[in-house]
Amino acid sequence: MAAGAAGTRALLALLVLCSMAAGAAGTSPDIAGNFLVDAGKVTLWCNMSEPQHTITGHKWIHKEKTLKEDNEPGASTSYTFEGTVEEHSGIYECIFEGNPQTRGQVNISVPPQVTAYKKSEHGNEGDTGVLTCKNPSFPAVTTWSWHKSGHGRLENASGRYIIKSSGNKTELRILKLDIEQDTGDYFCNATNPLGTGDATVNLRVRSRLAALWPFLGIVAEVLVLVTIIFIYEKRRKPDEVPDDDDGGSAPLKSNATNHKDKNVRQRNAN
């Protein structure tokens, strides 16, 4: 599947559509648009044939963003950017300022440039797995499909797979993940008038007990620590333990001394 997409890209056919809209009624001049790829750069240009009014400037717009603007006269304008057509496909408007304003456009169209939202996804057994792919290129995808390695094409009718696709995005939901059945590589495939493209998502399904391993590890460490403390206390030397008998003999020695001093004083008095 990937080899087929690579072959399609190798035989890349770029569709350039040029159109023009004038700001006033009547016959409008033709605008020819095209682009050239050279040394890692892409150059777009528009040429107006037989202008019917004075041109006071030019402007280039892509996705409602102004890319270039000037106040130069002339029936030709160009815009250059670095990169590839695959990275910068879309609709580019060239505007010839004047009264009236005249617009043309250059469309850079390529086969789908599919990318996975995440190249690797994880899910717990029994949960729902979600895999997502998108296509940022122009034109939009007309058909999406999902395949699994060793399984073939996945269908909504299977009951465990739910596929939702709209425009340049597709989503595969896998119900009740099974660690044996669902682990593996999944392929999202896109088709548009220029060709096909695909991306791979690797899904790993974990056992539900996997979430308990960190907790069990902490419990084991606590048990080991308590055991070590218990054994240490049991093996302490006897002389390290306070002797309760010594504590009780001190007052007796003190009382004997007191009686001796009293008898001495009595003899001296006599």
Side-chain angles (χ1 to χ4, degrees):
M1 184 180 301
T8 302
R9 296 189 184 99
L11 299 174
L12 180 64
L14 299 174
L15 178 65
V16 181
L17 302 175
C18 301
S19 65
M20 181 278 298
T27 304
S28 302
D30 293 329
I31 296 178
N34 210 329
F35 66 90
L36 175 68
V37 181
D38 183 40
K41 294 183 179 181
V42 180
T43 300
L44 314 177
W45 72 85
C46 287
N47 295 316
M48 180 187 295
S49 61
E50 301 180 358
Q52 298 178 1
H53 60 274
T54 301
I55 297 172
T56 59
H58 312 90
K59 184 185 295 184
W60 283 88
I61 296 177
H62 178 56
K63 295 181 179 179
E64 300 182 356
K65 179 182 178 181
T66 299
L67 305 175
K68 178 183 176 181
E69 193 171 6
D70 64 53
N71 297 319
E72 300 294 328
S76 178
T77 180
S78 64
Y79 171 68
T80 300
F81 56 82
E82 294 185 354
T84 65
V85 290
E86 288 83 2
E87 297 171 335
H88 298 280
S89 62
I91 300 173
Y92 292 80
E93 271 195 294
C94 55
I95 300 175
F96 292 84
E97 301 288 3
N99 188 17
Q101 185 186 78
T102 309
R103 293 172 176 258
Q105 71 180 40
V106 177
N107 292 359
I108 301 180
S109 302
V110 298
Q113 307 298 301
V114 182
T115 59
Y117 182 72
K118 288 184 179 180
K119 292 183 179 180
S120 180
E121 289 282 2
H122 301 80
N124 292 326
E125 194 171 20
D127 291 346
T128 298
V130 181
L131 311 181
T132 305
C133 289
K134 59 182 180 179
N135 170 55
S137 60
F138 176 85
V141 173
T142 55
T143 305
W144 284 101
S145 62
W146 282 89
H147 301 75
K148 183 179 184 300
S149 178
H151 185 281
R153 182 164 180 166
L154 306 179
E155 303 287 352
N156 277 326
S158 64
R160 294 190 63 244
Y161 304 109
I162 300 176
I163 300 173
K164 294 182 179 180
S165 302
S166 58
N168 282 335
K169 181 179 178 181
T170 183
E171 180 182 272
L172 169 65
R173 289 180 175 268
I174 307 172
L175 306 179
K176 297 181 180 180
L177 287 173
D178 183 270
I179 195 169
E180 298 293 336
Q181 182 178 352
D182 297 323
T183 298
D185 290 332
Y186 291 78
F187 307 97
C188 50
N189 183 275
T191 302
N192 72 8
L194 274 297
T196 63
D198 61 71
T200 303
V201 185
N202 179 262
L203 176 63
R204 300 179 184 177
V205 182
R206 300 171 297 192
S207 170
R208 279 192 172 277
L209 296 178
L212 295 177
W213 289 122
F215 172 75
L216 294 177
I218 294 174
V219 172
E221 290 179 0
V222 172
L223 291 177
V224 170
L225 182 60
V226 170
T227 302
I228 291 174
I229 294 174
F230 178 77
I231 295 174
Y232 174 78
E233 291 293 337
K234 281 290 187 180
R235 294 185 177 182
R236 289 182 64 181
K237 295 180 180 180
D239 56 0
E240 294 179 359
V241 181
D243 191 351
D244 294 339
D245 295 339
D246 294 342
S249 62
L252 295 176
K253 187 182 292 185
S254 177
N255 290 338
T257 304
N258 291 337
H259 285 299
K260 183 178 181 180
D261 292 342
K262 184 177 180 180
N263 293 334
V264 171
R265 287 196 296 272
Q266 288 178 351
R267 286 197 296 272
N268 291 337
N270 293 336

